[in-house]
């Protein structure tokens, strides 16, 4: 992968990971998950990093998992880069901040469930279209989305795969603040710098106390979802959905 598909930058205690694959709508390849998982491990070990920001472009955060990768090198074990990345964000002990503008599809939305602060552009569109792809939720979204927005709204998002937008995300508490798309990355950076000036031990302990009890349940759910997701990636519904996307046609599930 071109190293530049994920830009990594450290400044004033803040590590920033930027999706930089605009020509493919910032969809995420296995190699990109690997880079992000390694960066999180490095951020965790490096006392000079206090806060991590994940951001995309003002026109798109991420189109989710690279569908070509799903077809050609679907994750098969819990050591796969995507699962390493997911466990990394779910157990990351320092603050994580996300800046989202434009579409955030699939893991582009579910990774936000593991961020402490989320800022959104008013063009943000969140979607978890797993069912439409013959798949099931990942990133513990089957646990965290109903908890966050209540069962019925979660069913619209996860069973219908319906998108929801910045204001709704603000209302359900997925997002802290909505700003113009051109300002979202800058706002997240400013908040990250403010947070990085606070005592790291107090940040870590506060996050641990807020999250601590639930983290094992989150990791267990990720593992359970991962097993189903890995199996479903290879089944006919998903193969039809991915084939249709690559061939730019509508999927036909009538015989499946
Ligand atoms: N994986 C691989 N390639 C992707 C991709 C993905 N998830 N999302 C977009 N791309 C590629 C397209 O194939 C296209 O490539 P091409 O120029 O070589 O044909 C390019 O990115 C531009 O995408 P396009 O669909 O033309 O852009 P758009 O602005 O019309 O739509 C999205 C943007 C994000 C709404 C749309 O691309 C989309 O729905 N992507 C798939 C999202 C998805 O289902 N992700 C998996 C979730 S689990």
């Amino acid at each position: 992968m071109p190293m530049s598909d994920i830009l990594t930058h450290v400044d004033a205690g803040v590590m920033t990971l930027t999706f930089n694959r605009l020509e493919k709508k910032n969809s995420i390849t296995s190699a990109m998950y690997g880079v992000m998982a390694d960066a999180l491990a490095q951020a965790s070990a490096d006392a000079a990093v206090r806060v991590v920001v994940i951001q995309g472009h003002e026109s798109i955060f991420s189109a989710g998992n690279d569908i070509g990768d799903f077809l050609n090198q679907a994750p098969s074990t819990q050591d796969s880069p995507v699962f390493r990345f997911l466990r990394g964000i779910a157990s990351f002990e320092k603050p994580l901040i996300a800046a989202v503008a434009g579409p955030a599809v699939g893991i582009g939305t579910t990774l936000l469930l593991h961020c402490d602060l989320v800022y959104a552009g008013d063009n943000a569109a969140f979607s978890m279209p797993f069912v439409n792809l013959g798949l099931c939720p990942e990133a513990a979204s089957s646990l965290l989305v109903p908890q966050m927005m209540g069962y019925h709204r979660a069913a619209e998002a996860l069973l219908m795969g319906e998108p929801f937008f910045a204001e709704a995300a603000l209302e359900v508490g997925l997002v802290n603040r909505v700003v113009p798309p051109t300002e979202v990355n800058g706002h997240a950076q400013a908040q990250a710098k403010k947070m990085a000036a606070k005592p790291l031990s107090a940040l870590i302990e506060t996050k641990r106390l807020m999250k601590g009890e639930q983290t094992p349940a989150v990791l267990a759910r990720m593992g359970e979802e991962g097993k189903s997701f890995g199996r479903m990636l290879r089944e006919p519904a998903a193969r039809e959905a991915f084939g249709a996307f690559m061939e730019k046609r509508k999927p036909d599930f009538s015989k499946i």
Side-chain angles (χ1 to χ4, degrees):
M1 137 193 151
M3 281 309 285
S4 56
D5 284 354
I6 298 286
L7 302 178
T8 308
H9 177 74
V10 179
D11 178 44
V14 179
M15 177 185 276
T16 303
L17 303 177
T18 306
F19 295 121
N20 186 42
R21 196 180 178 229
L22 258 189
E23 73 287 359
K24 293 288 179 190
K25 301 286 166 184
N26 286 344
S27 54
I28 312 172
T29 60
S30 171
M32 289 162 72
Y33 290 120
V35 169
M36 290 194 290
D38 291 346
L40 285 175
Q42 188 199 328
S44 172
D46 184 350
V49 176
R50 291 158 167 257
V51 178
V52 172
V53 175
I54 301 178
Q55 63 183 26
H57 185 261
E58 64 191 48
S59 65
I60 184 151
F61 181 62
S62 172
N65 204 101
D66 182 282
I67 290 182
D69 258 20
F70 267 162
L71 267 173
N72 302 322
Q73 46 169 331
S76 51
T77 69
Q78 293 293 317
D79 295 330
S80 303
V82 60
F83 295 129
R84 264 198 319 120
F85 168 69
L86 287 177
R87 286 195 301 273
I89 49 170
S91 51
F92 194 64
E93 75 280 18
K94 297 176 185 177
L96 263 175
I97 299 180
V100 182
V105 186
I107 198 165
T109 288
T110 61
L111 75 80
L112 306 174
L113 300 165
H114 304 281
C115 293
D116 303 292
L117 298 173
V118 180
Y119 297 106
D122 57 23
N123 61 345
F126 305 87
S127 60
M128 295 174 281
F130 304 114
V131 161
N132 302 339
L133 296 169
L135 298 170
C136 69
E138 37 76 318
S141 54
S142 64
L143 176 70
L144 298 173
V145 173
Q147 259 178 17
M148 171 180 285
M149 53 177 82
Y151 184 83
H152 291 90
R153 279 196 280 201
E156 251 174 11
L158 286 169
L159 282 176
M160 292 295 286
E162 281 187 4
F164 55 99
F165 301 95
E167 288 304 322
L170 187 65
E171 189 203 323
V172 296
L174 178 62
V175 156
N176 290 85
R177 189 166 168 199
V178 178
V179 299
T182 50
E183 290 171 23
V184 66
N185 288 359
H187 184 69
Q189 290 291 330
Q191 292 294 87
K193 293 224 162 73
K194 259 195 236 169
M195 205 180 242
K198 299 182 191 297
L200 182 58
S201 57
L203 292 172
I204 290 176
E205 192 57 15
T206 301
K207 179 164 176 174
R208 188 187 72 75
L209 286 162
M210 287 201 293
K211 291 239 173 190
E213 222 160 66
Q214 195 172 8
T215 302
V218 166
L219 292 171
R221 181 63 64 94
M222 275 185 180
E224 190 186 340
E225 290 171 344
K227 276 188 210 145
S228 301
F229 198 94
R231 168 176 52 75
M232 294 174 89
L233 279 172
R234 292 166 173 77
E235 290 180 350
R239 308 308 283 184
E240 167 58 15
F242 303 152
F245 180 78
M246 302 306 267
E247 291 159 22
K248 299 189 190 292
R249 60 171 173 83
K250 276 199 175 343
D252 175 6
F253 299 119
S254 62
K255 295 186 187 64
I256 294 167

